Amino acid sequence: MSATTACPKTRAFQLRVNPLTGDSEWIVVEEGGDREELEEKTSKNLLATTSYLDMLNDSYRNWAFRAAIEKTIKKPCHVLDIGAGTGLLSMMAARTMAKFEEASEAKVSACESYLPMGKLMRRVLRKNQMEKKVSEILDSELLGEGLIPTLQQAHDMLLAKNPQTVPYRATTYGQLSEPFKIFEFDFWKKPESHGEIEMSIKACSDGNVIAVISWWVLQLDEEGSIFYSTAPRWTNCPDNGMVENCIPGYIVFEAKSHRRVSWTSEGNENWCDHWKQCVWFISGAGLPVLKDKLVLFKAAYDEIKISYHLKCDDQTCCNNFNFGNCLLELSPERVAVYGDKDWRSGFINAMRNTLNVRSAPLCIIADDSVFLTILISYLSKNANTISSFPGLQEKGAQYLQAIADSNGFSMDRVKVIGKRASYLLTDNLIQQKVDFLVGEPFYYGNEGALPWQNLRFWKERTLLDSILSEDVVIMPCKGILKVCAMSLPDLWRSRCSLKKVEGFDHSVVNETLGACGNLPPLLEGPCLPYYIWQCGEVEELSEILPLMEFNFLEPIHACSRKIKIEFSKLGICHGFALWIDWVLDNKKSLLVSTGPISRYWKQGVKLLSKPLAVNAAYSFAEIEAFFDHSSGEITISSFSPS
């Protein structure tokens, strides 16, 4: 199904989420309809957290695709751009074909499934007088989701026999020793739905294999002269055994490994955030290997996933875990949190101190914390626990029972409701006042959000106010918004506002895509979630200061504060990192920090439009925060000395 610019208005589904309640709903948005303006802010927030801006600021990527397109298109033809985004590649194709005498025969069809992005593309095309050259916008009903189904459908329905494609080929590589090739996908022919490969890999040293790292390399042109790689830095040297790195004309983009803390600025001008490697962890304690011994490596793929299997000396490992209905899919960072001894000790001590002075308390877990539910059940034989599990729901309950069965303790006094804790007010499940309200806080599916999205815990506490006992213990009892001035040159470059991208004006996308650097006067970019330790070169330029406090012993309310930040180091300030420290007890002796020192949580990053050179003349900056208790949003404004 296709729609030209003269066709009826486009309709699409869009997800809207309330940060304070976690409720989400799919709504129908019609271009030009009543809901369009209402959803414009939501669309901007969603697009600002994507990699679109970072990719458009990747100058080598843009050049490589331009070079490949100009090399591949040898005459006017019909070009299909799948996943067109801002329409950059569509415009490259149209410009290339305009150089030929038969340019009138040229046609470009752009396919973009996400309505807000499609609307943004139309604005870019108009800005560059290309709306008549990119004549069709194909909607989401045409192509399926996922690379393999999309290519299969394109070959079946849209593409000519033996089409010219950019990219021409993709190759996946793995490493548990020296790098080795795994799969190769040719875009110019219809891919198979399933594939598998088996090979023997020689171990390069003694040790335990605990993971397989994988990445991909794109061959953009048929001749094999233009490449784009997401390989980690250590593979980009002549002696690493990868032949492609040694051939003339092989150009490698050095993407950062998502397990690196930071890189120095030397040779790091190509840092970006939009492509990372995959780390496939092996179950158990790993696979022991000896140097020069062979490891049998098997890989298989289907339309949605890749699986690996390793075998050495009759020992087998795989990354296809099968625990039936008891499997919980948690982010690597959440798994790491539960494996952190200090984090666990803080909650264990706080829980033990509370439960020791209460007999048969009624405890409510207000979030998705499996850990806290198990901990209370283990520490107190008399506690009655209601776990809300609004995200994990039934899977959380099944996992709890499996853990209890394996460790020999009873879950008879635990009830999982699978809804927000505030539903207790309507379901008549409460027969006594609540003695203990607790959360990490952790809400399943919310891990990538800004840190203050977890103030949803405060909203839940407020809604439950009528059933809380007078001496209720609330844990955490307080949240403290912390701030630190930062030097973030790599991140700042990747979030700069756009002007011309390969000759095409992209200035109209800056606000929607959340550009922060080099903005016009009086405009500020959004606060965005990042793992600071993954942001390339980073340095703290000030002491860590409290910006605002949230007292969970009180009902939720609006609050604001403005502070002056004195710089403690010379350097270039690119913005501020913000996070929340959760205070577990009233004595403030037990605290869980989500700051940059930890790799488990994302921080909020507020970038300056213009970097500030810290010196004797500019020794401080100001920052102001406002918490809107009705929306759950925190507005951050920064001020540099004039």
Side-chain angles (χ1 to χ4, degrees), residues 139-195:
D139 69 17
S140 59
E141 295 181 25
L142 180 65
L143 295 174
E145 295 181 358
L147 174 64
I148 291 177
T150 296
L151 287 175
Q152 288 175 334
Q153 203 165 3
H155 278 278
D156 288 341
M157 300 172 58
L158 300 168
L159 300 180
K161 186 177 181 180
N162 298 322
Q164 298 292 308
T165 62
V166 177
Y168 180 80
R169 174 179 292 133
T171 304
T172 62
Y173 289 88
Q175 185 170 18
L176 55 84
S177 54
E178 295 298 333
F180 53 89
K181 184 184 296 185
I182 304 176
F183 290 118
E184 199 168 74
F185 300 93
D186 290 324
F187 292 108
W188 54 272
K189 61 183 180 181
K190 182 179 176 180
E192 299 292 333
S193 297
H194 307 275

Side-chain angles (χ1 to χ4, degrees), residues 44-63:
K44 288 180 181 178
N45 290 341
L46 289 172
L47 288 170
T49 58
T50 66
S51 299
Y52 281 115
L53 184 67
D54 191 55
M55 285 192 289
L56 290 166
N57 269 313
D58 181 353
S59 58
Y60 173 70
R61 171 190 174 274
N62 301 331
W63 172 87

Side-chain angles (χ1 to χ4, degrees), residues 263-397:
W263 290 350
T264 59
S265 58
E266 183 179 355
N268 194 37
E269 66 277 1
N270 283 333
W271 181 93
C272 67
D273 188 57
H274 55 271
W275 295 123
K276 302 176 184 178
Q277 297 78 48
C278 293
V279 180
W280 301 86
F281 290 102
I282 294 170
S283 61
L287 183 68
V289 297
L290 298 175
K291 184 178 180 181
D292 296 330
K293 292 291 185 180
L294 295 179
V295 177
L296 182 63
F297 176 83
K298 295 182 180 181
Y301 72 85
D302 57 25
E303 293 184 352
I304 59 173
K305 68 179 184 303
I306 294 178
S307 60
Y308 297 148
H309 300 258
L310 302 177
K311 185 176 182 180
C312 181
D313 295 333
D314 297 325
Q315 298 187 62
T316 302
C317 291
C318 69
N319 69 326
N320 266 359
F321 304 106
N322 185 10
F323 298 111
N325 292 328
C326 301
L327 176 64
L328 281 187
E329 295 182 359
L330 301 176
S331 70
E333 290 74 25
R334 177 53 42 182
V335 174
V337 167
Y338 291 150
D340 186 282
K341 182 179 178 180
D342 292 336
W343 183 89
R344 295 197 312 269
S345 296
F347 272 103
I348 290 171
N349 292 334
M351 288 285 190
R352 183 177 285 121
N353 293 340
T354 299
L355 294 172
N356 283 344
V357 297
R358 301 283 175 124
S359 60
L362 175 59
C363 309
I364 292 181
I365 311 295
D367 59 0
D368 284 298
S369 180
V370 172
F371 172 78
L372 293 181
T373 305
I374 295 171
L375 181 60
I376 292 174
S377 301
Y378 179 75
L379 292 177
S380 175
K381 308 303 180 184
N382 299 317
N384 294 295
T385 305
I386 298 177
S387 294
S388 58
F389 287 7
L392 293 177
Q393 299 179 351
E394 184 61 24
K395 279 190 174 292

Side-chain angles (χ1 to χ4, degrees), residues 55 90 299 509 571:
M55 285 192 289
S90 295
V509 310

Side-chain angles (χ1 to χ4, degrees), residues 472-487:
V472 64
V473 174
I474 297 176
M475 183 186 301
C477 61
K478 182 181 293 185
I480 304 175
L481 183 65
K482 297 288 188 70
V483 63
C484 181
M486 303 290 297
S487 175

